Amino acid sequence: MRVKVNVSGIVQGVGFRPFVYRTAVRLGLACYVRNRGDAGVEILLEGQQEAIDGFLRDLTERKPPQAQIHNITKTPLSGKNQYSQFTIIKSSEALENLGSVVPPDSAICNDCLRELRTPSDPRFDYFFITCVNCGPRFTIIERLPYDRENTTMNEFPLCGFCKKEYEDPANRRFHAQTVACPLCGPKASLTTNRGESVGAADPVREASKLLSEGSIVAVKGYGGFHIAASAVKETPLLRLRASKHRSAKPFALMARSLEAVKSFAEVNPKEQELLTSPARPIVLLNKNSNFNLSTQIAPELHNVGVMMPYSGMHYMLFDRIPDQAFVMTSANPANQPIVKDNDQALKILGGTVDYFLFHNRQIAQRCDDTVTRVHGDRNAFLRRSRGYAPAPIMLKQKAKRCVVGLGGELNNTSCILNRDKAFLSQHVGDVENVETRSFLQQATKHLMRLTNSKVEAVACDLHPKFTTTNLAQELAEQNGWQLIQVQHHHAHVAALMAEHNVDEIVGIVCDGYGYGVDGSAWGGEILHCERGSAGFRRLGYLEPQPLLGGDVATRYPLRIAAGILSKEIDVADWLMRQSANSFPHGEIEVKLILSQLKTHDVPKTTSLGRILDAAAAILGICCERTYEGEAAMKLESVAVKGKDVLGLASVICGKALDTTQLLVSVFENRDNFSKADLAYSVHVYLAKGLAALAVEKAVGCGVGTVGFTGGAAVNALLARLMRDVVEAQGLRFLVHESVPSGDGGVSLGQAVVGGFGGF
Ligand SMILES: [Zn+2]
Ligand SMILES: [Zn+2]
Ligand SMILES: [Zn+2]
């Protein structure tokens, strides 16, 4: 019997063809496997029915760990069997290039980990051990097709031993482009912070000893440098905070093992699955009652970001020291992309670290760690990058045109929408200066090449002054592309709709700031959106509140609190009492604020983030924001142990959910209840109020689905409270699971509106 099988998904460059070969040979099947031009794989099988059935079963059940199958089609063929053996047909370069899907980086697999620890193995203790199932991919590929000469492994010609494995179809390093050994592969080295060799015989173990003793070491990973330090010693962490000008922003941890993670954090089954997955993201975990690592790691937060080792080097860092975890934070100077080159690292990080643990393989593409957290049993990305990028988000429909979305300004990514695939770039960061702008340009261009995309339009934010808007205008002009501007919160909802393939939704969008169609600051919106439409309807929002001093107010949230409270009560004395600690210019500033509030031309915002900021300030939880989202994160951390003591009913005036009474009530009760209970009550009021308003509007326009998106949708408490309200009314409640709800998902929404909207 003969059958043709077409497989689509991420099936090229992940050891899929060798796997097909081995499976077919084992089952006594003949014929061939070859890559198809549309990034899929075609398999022709000849043999017994039973063997073919077994093959098809293994295809899905035993596929290589990095392979992602989107679709399998089977076509029985007539005619006689023609082949006597099974072969892998090498396709032409042109065919290999077409619409290829580059796999993301993948953590060291168990087979390689076992070899790393087997003294008789030729790759025993070799930090860069990889195989066809594991190792860096996206971060080493310079161009297609994915062959060694097109990667940064091209500087390391294979030795006889590696070559033999590379050429043996039965070996798991068959066609593994990253194959290397201590003889022929990349080498590690340890230097001082000035780049002088320390002359260590075992640089990785020496670095690990230094870390354990209290040194700060820059460690080169797959997609860039980490700065590593002890997780129990205060001194190196205080030094790190001082030199990185990072007073409170949490540091991520790398733990030696899952057991180690469980010794200081709570881990549910979904979190465990993510921690140990080949993508190895940083997972935000609740600290447990035994948390005894340094308080400097995640000050005043109930959770901590943790990842597991993802390379041979990382495992080696832990295997001869007792430390349960090290701090591992991205090595990027403020507002700059992550450092990836050795000479650049010496220049930029030399003043921060004591030592460098280098290796001599270049990084082609920088790629930060992914950050995620789990809501119940759902994955909620804060940042989607290493281990995920550039795997596409699969859409159910094909876009009308190929569009590139350039995103917003903070936590940015870009996105290329090509037919039914949306390729999100790695995390680019805050695009506010020359360096991040050029990183965005370079990453986008690279992604366009890798995906062989013929872009026809460029989508960007509505904000006239964003760097990305400016770049989009430039690109549109240079290339003759159509320019499509998408309102920020519309883009958030469009991303959510694309992810879940829904045609119509009422979306609750909560974040810090987005430029509204009226030019004012939006951020607590209820929008009705339809696929195929260029626009949206704004059905509701949070009460517009004064934002005194714009960006200064987001830094010092008491200003926001003052603006809101003074509408109802006299807060002059209260503000004066805090002038010394919470306002950089003390009493003079407070007086100025009070006089400015009497005028009527204070800009207004509907942002949910600002309401959370104000509540945190009133409760004394956070009066100066030193990193993005700090006040809101700390408010959530305080709220998790609270209960609703205010029991406020939502007050809706026209389209707006009142927030003044909420904050006045918090203010007046601040001595009557605990901070935890008041913080929780704030969450309850906002979540229930917005959800009820959205449900009312959805029912009104006959829409059965309500979604929650925007940066504040990573807040587990808000998401849970909203879900309860929406589902209790019999409506479907959607949140993001494949892309960030925050601004890392905006580029996808822009591209989708550009690709499906009626332009
Ligand atoms: Zn492996
Ligand atoms: Zn070798
Ligand atoms: Zn946003």
Side-chain angles (χ1 to χ4, degrees):
M1 122 160 248
R2 311 177 74 207
V3 60
K4 184 150 102 185
V5 183
N6 280 321
V7 187
S8 65
I10 301 183
V11 288
Q12 296 186 4
V14 291
F16 197 75
R17 282 176 299 170
F19 154 76
V20 166
Y21 172 89
R22 284 194 298 274
T23 310
V25 169
R26 181 166 47 80
L27 294 165
L29 292 163
C31 248
Y32 66 80
V33 55
R34 68 175 174 203
N35 280 349
R36 265 197 346 238
D38 62 354
V41 162
E42 177 185 288
I43 308 162
L44 202 68
L45 298 167
E46 289 180 358
Q48 301 294 324
Q49 172 84 53
E50 221 171 274
I52 290 179
D53 289 346
F55 179 91
L56 292 171
R57 207 173 36 245
D58 285 358
L59 201 58
T60 46
E61 286 174 11
R62 295 166 78 164
K63 67 177 167 59
Q66 279 184 290
Q68 287 179 29
I69 296 180
H70 300 143
N71 193 29
I72 299 179
T73 58
K74 290 161 279 193
T75 325
L77 298 179
S78 55
K80 283 209 181 75
N81 292 359
Q82 296 168 2
Y83 293 78
S84 59
Q85 56 179 6
F86 199 90
T87 48
I88 298 178
I89 298 179
K90 179 110 175 100
S91 353
S92 70
E93 190 172 303
L95 198 63
E96 298 264 353
N97 252 328
L98 249 171
S100 270
V101 179
V102 172
D105 289 3
S106 179
I108 181 171
C109 72
N110 287 333
D111 290 328
C112 287
L113 192 54
R114 190 172 25 79
E115 287 181 357
L116 178 78
R117 290 167 167 171
T118 305
S120 60
D121 193 277
R123 295 188 186 85
F124 171 63
D125 258 2
Y126 181 51
F127 78 96
F128 193 69
I129 183 170
T130 62
C131 72
V132 81
N133 293 327
C134 74
R137 296 290 184 274
F138 173 62
T139 53
I140 60 164
I141 297 175
E142 290 179 314
R143 68 196 81 83
L144 287 177
Y146 173 47
D147 283 327
R148 192 173 177 106
E149 65 262 27
N150 292 333
T151 71
T152 56
M153 289 301 288
N154 66 353
E155 292 173 37
F156 306 96
L158 295 176
C159 70
F161 165 70
C162 289
K163 192 160 197 286
K164 210 168 131 244
E165 293 198 328
Y166 181 86
E167 287 170 350
D168 175 7
N171 192 288
R172 69 186 171 85
R173 294 199 171 85
F174 176 63
H175 282 190
Q177 309 302 347
T178 53
V179 64
C181 75
L183 217 64
C184 66
K187 311 247 183 305
S189 59
L190 185 69
T191 78
T192 64
N193 58 1
R194 291 207 298 270
E196 296 137 353
S197 171
V198 169
D202 187 342
V204 184
R205 264 52 171 270
E206 188 61 31
S208 113
K209 216 174 101 221
L210 289 164
L211 279 171
S212 186
E213 288 166 1
S215 293
I216 302 175
V217 183
V219 178
K220 189 175 180 182
Y222 281 175
F225 280 81
H226 283 116
I227 295 178
S230 163
V232 286
K233 293 191 159 60
E234 302 280 305
T235 322
L237 295 182
L238 288 171
R239 276 174 57 208
L240 202 49
R241 290 214 174 277
S243 68
K244 281 193 90 180
H245 302 292
R246 190 164 149 164
S247 58
K249 193 175 179 187
F251 292 129
L253 294 170
M254 181 177 278
R256 63 184 303 130
S257 65
L258 198 57
E259 289 64 44
V261 181
K262 288 177 178 171
S263 72
F264 59 79
E266 291 166 9
V267 182
N268 74 22
K270 180 69 184 178
E271 289 161 343
Q272 176 160 335
E273 180 195 317
L274 284 163
L275 281 168
T276 55
S277 69
R280 291 287 203 282
I282 294 172
V283 185
L284 283 189
L285 300 170
N286 290 348
K287 295 173 181 169
N288 69 19
S289 50
N290 297 323
F291 186 89
N292 57 2
L293 304 176
S294 167
T295 51
Q296 284 302 319
I297 292 168
E300 293 169 60
L301 295 175
H302 71 297
N303 50 18
V304 58
V306 187
M307 69 180 141
M308 297 270 294
Y310 63 79
S311 70
M313 181 185 269
H314 293 153
Y315 276 100
M316 287 167 70
L317 277 178
F318 284 104
D319 63 7
R320 294 196 193 155
I321 43 100
D323 300 54
Q324 297 297 304
F326 287 135
V327 160
M328 277 275 187
T329 181
S330 266
N332 56 321
N335 303 319
Q336 304 270 323
I338 186 170
V339 175
K340 76 174 177 71
D341 299 322
N342 292 4
D343 51 347
Q344 188 198 14
L346 277 169
K347 227 169 36 209
I348 297 178
L349 307 175
T352 302
V353 305
D354 304 312
Y355 297 94
F356 284 95
L357 180 56
F358 286 122
H359 59 69
N360 59 346
R361 181 184 60 72
Q362 309 268 336
I363 294 171
Q365 280 299 307
R366 52 164 69 85
C367 197
D368 277 83
D369 297 317
T370 289
V371 186
T372 191
R373 71 185 282 194
V374 172
H375 292 178
D377 57 359
R378 286 185 182 80
N379 180 27
F381 281 113
L382 281 81
R383 174 197 293 174
R384 180 186 181 274
S385 201
R386 178 185 51 74
Y388 296 90
I393 311 297
M394 294 303 296
L395 309 180
K396 285 283 175 340
Q397 294 175 343
K398 287 192 174 122
K400 287 186 285 192
R401 60 172 82 76
C402 184
V403 186
V404 56
L406 292 183
E409 182 157 75
L410 302 180
N411 280 313
N412 205 30
T413 60
S414 61
C415 174
I416 292 161
L417 176 62
N418 192 348
R419 286 178 285 185
D420 58 349
K421 296 191 186 84
F423 297 91
L424 269 175
S425 75
Q426 71 269 45
H427 167 76
V428 171
D430 302 349
V431 190
E432 292 173 317
N433 55 34
V434 184
E435 290 84 356
T436 36
R437 186 190 199 263
S438 77
F439 176 30
L440 176 70
Q441 263 179 299
Q442 180 273 330
T444 309
K445 216 166 153 188
H446 183 65
L447 199 56
M448 268 161 59
R449 266 202 318 265
L450 290 186
T451 56
N452 203 29
S453 297
K454 307 270 176 291
V455 171
E456 297 154 82
V458 56
C460 64
D461 202 271
L462 211 56
H463 198 298
K465 288 190 181 146
F466 275 0
T467 305
T468 46
T469 307
N470 173 272
L471 181 60
Q473 286 160 342
E474 223 175 270
L475 289 172
E477 211 159 286
Q478 279 167 13
N479 301 292
W481 295 342
Q482 187 180 356
L483 178 73
I484 296 162
Q485 288 189 275
V486 183
Q487 198 276 327
H488 187 84
H489 303 99
H490 181 203
H492 274 304
V493 181
L496 185 64
M497 291 170 76
E499 193 183 324
H500 292 282
N501 187 39
V502 295
D503 291 326
E504 196 178 5
I505 200 169
V506 170
I508 305 168
V509 201
C510 296
D511 60 8
Y513 168 75
Y515 187 87
V517 289
D518 55 5
S520 72
W522 292 11
E525 312 302 312
I526 295 175
L527 308 182
H528 173 236
C529 301
E530 281 176 279
R531 182 167 22 211
S533 161
F536 61 91
R537 282 195 298 149
R538 190 188 193 203
L539 304 178
Y541 38 83
L542 289 181
E543 179 186 357
Q545 296 287 12
L547 190 66
L548 200 63
D551 282 348
V552 183
T554 56
R555 171 123 190 230
Y556 299 100
L558 266 178
R559 282 174 164 261
I560 308 166
I564 299 171
L565 294 174
S566 61
K567 286 157 66 174
E568 298 271 325
I569 43 184
D570 183 359
V571 288
D573 290 347
W574 176 70
L575 281 182
M576 275 303 179
R577 281 202 299 279
Q578 307 192 61
S579 60
N581 293 327
S582 306
F583 295 92
H585 305 289
E587 283 188 22
I588 304 171
E589 189 176 346
V590 172
K591 280 182 188 147
L592 192 67
I593 290 171
L594 291 168
S595 75
Q596 283 173 342
L597 282 173
K598 295 200 179 80
T599 67
H600 291 286
D601 55 356
V602 179
K604 294 212 161 59
T605 177
T606 56
S607 164
L608 176 115
R610 300 294 85 86
I611 299 298
L612 297 178
D613 290 351
I618 293 171
L619 293 173
I621 291 166
C622 180
C623 291
E624 183 187 347
R625 187 195 79 155
T626 64
Y627 59 90
E628 206 211 335
E630 178 174 0
M633 283 161 68
K634 288 184 171 169
L635 189 74
E636 185 191 358
S637 283
V638 171
V640 288
K641 291 204 177 76
K643 57 183 183 300
D644 184 16
V645 287
L646 295 180
L648 297 171
S650 42
V651 178
I652 292 164
C653 317
K655 287 181 172 181
L657 175 68
D658 178 283
T659 49
T660 305
Q661 293 313 317
L662 167 71
L663 292 177
V664 166
S665 179
V666 170
F667 180 80
E668 287 176 341
N669 283 292
R670 68 195 191 285
D671 297 325
N672 302 339
F673 300 108
S674 71
K675 286 182 184 184
D677 288 346
L678 290 169
Y680 188 87
S681 304
V682 169
H683 283 78
V684 170
Y685 177 85
L686 292 168
K688 287 192 171 172
L690 283 168
L693 191 56
V695 166
E696 181 201 312
K697 301 294 180 190
V699 171
C701 35
V703 177
T705 308
V706 170
F708 182 31
T709 178
V714 299
N715 183 311
L717 201 48
L718 287 176
R720 178 170 59 77
L721 292 162
M722 280 188 193
R723 176 179 294 276
D724 289 348
V725 173
V726 174
E727 290 183 345
Q729 297 303 313
L731 274 72
R732 200 170 156 217
F733 184 72
L734 293 179
V735 289
H736 291 275
E737 288 174 56
S738 309
V739 298
S741 63
D743 288 0
V746 161
S747 62
L748 168 65
Q750 293 171 344
V752 164
V753 173
F756 292 95
F759 293 99

